[in-house]
C-alpha cells in the first residue's frame, strides 16, 4: 500500500479509459494497450494498486452505471444492459443480482428508499460515476513519506450545514490509515447503492480520536438520508452526521502523506485566534487520484469544528 502511487501512474490510462468507455470493449488486452504494458504486467500492477482485477473493476463500473440509469431513466432493462457494455440481458441480470441482491426491475421499482426526488437521483448517479472508478484509491501514499516542500495554508472560518453520512468506525495503527480507507470506502460506496441510499457528496474520513499509537477513524460517504439496511446485522456501515456550525477549513494540495501539516496549521490558527475546537476533524477528497495521477495535483479539504 505504501508505494502504490508509482504504479498508479502506470495504470492510470487504463482507469481513465474504462471510466470513459464503460459501454465498449474493456478486455485486458484493450486496457493494456492504453498503458503500453503487457497483458500480464498490467494485470499484476492493476490488481496490486486497485485491489481488484481489471475484470472485476470493469464489471463494478458497468453495474454502478447501470444502477444509476435504472434510477434516473425509462430505458428498458435490455437497453440499459447493452448501453453499459453487457453482451446479453441474461448475463447482466445475473451479475446485477449478485451485486445488488435483487433484479434490475426490482431495483428500479424500489428506487431510492429515502424518498429522493429526480434531482437527488441524478446527483446520486453522477457521484457513482465520478467516485466509482477510484473509490479505493483515496489516501494512497506517494511513497515519499512526509518529506516535501512546506506548504502555506490559508485558514478560513466557515458555517457548515449538518450532513447525513454513512461511516465505518475503525481503530487502527497510524501506519494503517491509508489501507483502512482503501478497504472501507468501497464498502460504504457499495452499501449505499445496494440499499438505495442517495449519495450526496464526495468521500471523507473523520478522525474521532488520534493518539501516538492508535487512531479511531471513520471513512464514509455523504448521503441525502440514511434508510434502513437490507441486512442490518451483516454490515459495519452505520448512519451518522457531520456536524454543522462554525468550522475552521483549509485546502491541502499535494500528497496525502503530508496531510498532517494541514491539521497542524489549523490547530495553530485556532490557538492564535483564541478559538476552541469542538468535535472531530475530517478531510474531504476533492480530486480523484485516477484523474490526477500526479500527487502534486491532489486536493483535500480539511475541516475542524469550532465551539460557537
Amino acid at each position: 500500500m505504501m508505494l502504490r502511487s508509482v504504479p498508479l501512474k502506470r495504470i492510470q490510462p487504463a482507469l481513465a479509459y474504462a471510466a470513459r468507455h464503460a459501454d465498449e470493449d474493456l478486455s485486458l488486452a484493450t486496457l493494456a494497450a492504453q498503458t503500453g504494458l503487457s497483458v500480464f504486467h498490467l494485470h499484476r500492477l492493476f490488481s496490486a494498486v486497485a485491489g481488484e482485477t481489471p475484470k472485476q473493476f470493469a464489471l463494478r463500473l458497468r453495474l454502478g452505471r447501470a444502477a444509476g440509469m435504472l434510477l434516473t431513466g425509462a430505458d428498458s432493462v435490455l437497453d440499459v444492459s447493452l448501453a453499459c457494455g453487457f453482451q446479453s440481458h441474461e448475463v447482466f441480470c445475473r451479475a446485477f443480482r449478485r451485486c445488488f441482491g435483487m433484479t434490475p426491475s426490482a431495483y428500479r421499482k424500489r428506487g431510492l428508499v429515502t424518498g429522493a426526488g429526480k434531482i437527488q437521483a441524478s446527483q446520486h448517479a453522477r457521484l457513482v460515476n465520478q467516485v466509482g472508478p477510484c473509490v479505493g484509491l483515496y489516501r494512497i501514499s506517494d511513497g515519499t513519506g512526509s518529506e516535501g516542500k512546506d506548504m502555506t495554508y490559508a485558514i478560513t472560518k466557515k458555517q457548515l450545514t449538518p450532513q447525513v453520512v454513512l461511516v465505518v468506525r475503525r481503530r487502527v495503527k497510524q501506519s494503517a490509515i491509508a489501507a483502512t480507507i482503501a478497504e472501507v470506502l468501497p464498502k460504504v460506496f457499495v452499501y449505499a447503492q445496494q440499499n438505495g441510499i442517495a449519495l450526496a457528496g464526495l468521500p471523507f474520513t473523520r478522525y474521532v480520536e488520534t493518539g501516538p499509537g492508535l487512531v479511531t477513524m471513520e471513512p464514509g460517504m455523504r448521503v441525502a438520508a440514511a434508510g434502513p439496511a437490507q441486512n442490518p446485522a451483516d454490515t459495519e456501515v452505520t448512519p451518522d452526521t457531520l456536524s454543522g456550525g462554525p468550522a475552521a477549513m483549509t485546502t491541502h494540495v499535494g500528497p496525502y502523506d503530508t496531510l498532517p501539516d494541514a491539521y497542524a496549521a489549523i490547530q495553530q490558527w485556532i490557538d492564535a485566534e483564541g478559538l476552541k475546537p469542538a468535535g472531530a476533524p475530517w478531510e474531504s477528497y476533492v480530486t480523484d487520484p485516477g484523474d490526477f495521477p500526479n500527487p502534486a495535483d491532489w486536493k483535500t479539504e480539511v475541516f475542524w469544528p469550532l465551539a460557537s
Side-chain angles (χ1 to χ4, degrees):
M1 181 70 186
M2 292 303 294
L3 296 175
R4 290 199 303 162
S5 81
V6 175
L8 171 61
K9 294 179 181 179
R10 302 295 305 277
I11 71 164
Q12 190 273 341
L15 295 170
Y17 181 87
R20 293 193 304 267
H21 302 276
D23 59 331
E24 301 177 18
D25 175 27
L26 295 182
S27 65
L28 188 56
T30 298
L31 295 179
Q34 309 306 313
T35 64
L37 299 171
S38 69
V39 169
F40 171 79
H41 196 189
L42 174 67
H43 190 279
R44 183 176 64 82
L45 273 184
F46 196 104
S47 300
V49 174
E52 58 189 337
T53 67
K55 183 177 181 180
Q56 291 168 332
F57 172 78
L59 178 61
R60 182 171 60 79
L61 284 192
R62 285 170 166 163
L63 289 172
R65 181 165 298 185
M69 291 178 65
L70 290 168
L71 292 173
T72 58
D75 291 343
S76 69
V77 172
L78 174 60
D79 287 341
V80 168
S81 68
L82 296 176
C84 293
F86 290 91
Q87 298 303 308
S88 74
H89 177 271
E90 292 75 16
V91 170
F92 169 62
C93 289
R94 284 198 301 269
F96 193 95
R97 189 175 190 117
R98 283 196 300 269
C99 180
F100 295 103
M102 62 183 70
T103 66
S105 296
Y107 188 88
R108 166 178 274 167
K109 184 177 180 180
R110 183 195 64 183
L112 293 169
V113 297
T114 51
K118 290 183 178 180
I119 294 177
Q120 286 184 325
S122 296
Q123 181 186 32
H124 168 80
R126 178 181 60 79
L127 284 166
V128 167
N129 293 334
Q130 176 184 346
V131 176
C134 292
V135 69
L137 296 178
Y138 294 102
R139 258 300 197 147
I140 187 173
S141 172
D142 75 335
T144 63
S146 59
E147 297 179 1
K149 295 181 179 179
D150 290 338
M151 178 177 171
T152 300
Y153 293 94
I155 317 293
T156 58
K157 187 177 180 181
K158 292 203 167 188
Q159 192 73 17
L160 303 180
T161 301
Q163 173 68 61
V164 180
V165 295
L166 296 174
V167 299
V168 171
R169 177 172 289 198
R170 291 285 177 81
R171 188 164 174 79
V172 302
K173 296 178 180 178
Q174 294 270 358
S175 59
I177 288 176
T180 301
I181 294 172
E183 175 207 348
V184 169
L185 280 183
K187 181 179 296 188
V188 178
F189 184 71
V190 171
Y191 173 91
Q193 294 178 79
Q194 288 176 333
N195 290 280
I197 298 172
L199 299 176
L202 296 172
F204 70 94
T205 299
R206 178 166 56 186
Y207 297 93
V208 179
E209 184 179 274
T210 303
L214 298 179
V215 177
T216 302
M217 56 188 291
E218 293 177 333
M221 296 290 304
R222 296 168 172 85
V223 295
Q230 292 177 7
N231 300 297
D234 298 336
T235 181
E236 301 176 90
V237 181
T238 58
D240 209 324
T241 303
L242 285 179
S243 59
M249 178 265 179
T250 193
T251 299
H252 173 78
V253 181
Y256 297 128
D257 291 346
T258 53
L259 263 170
D261 294 344
Y263 287 95
I266 289 182
Q267 284 186 299
Q268 291 172 339
W269 181 87
I270 291 174
D271 290 344
E273 294 292 318
L275 302 171
K276 292 184 179 180
W282 67 86
E283 59 199 35
S284 179
Y285 309 115
V286 178
T287 51
D288 189 320
D291 291 333
F292 299 88
N294 185 354
D297 298 328
W298 296 346
K299 292 183 180 179
T300 308
E301 292 179 341
V302 179
F303 299 87
W304 204 315
L306 301 170
S308 299

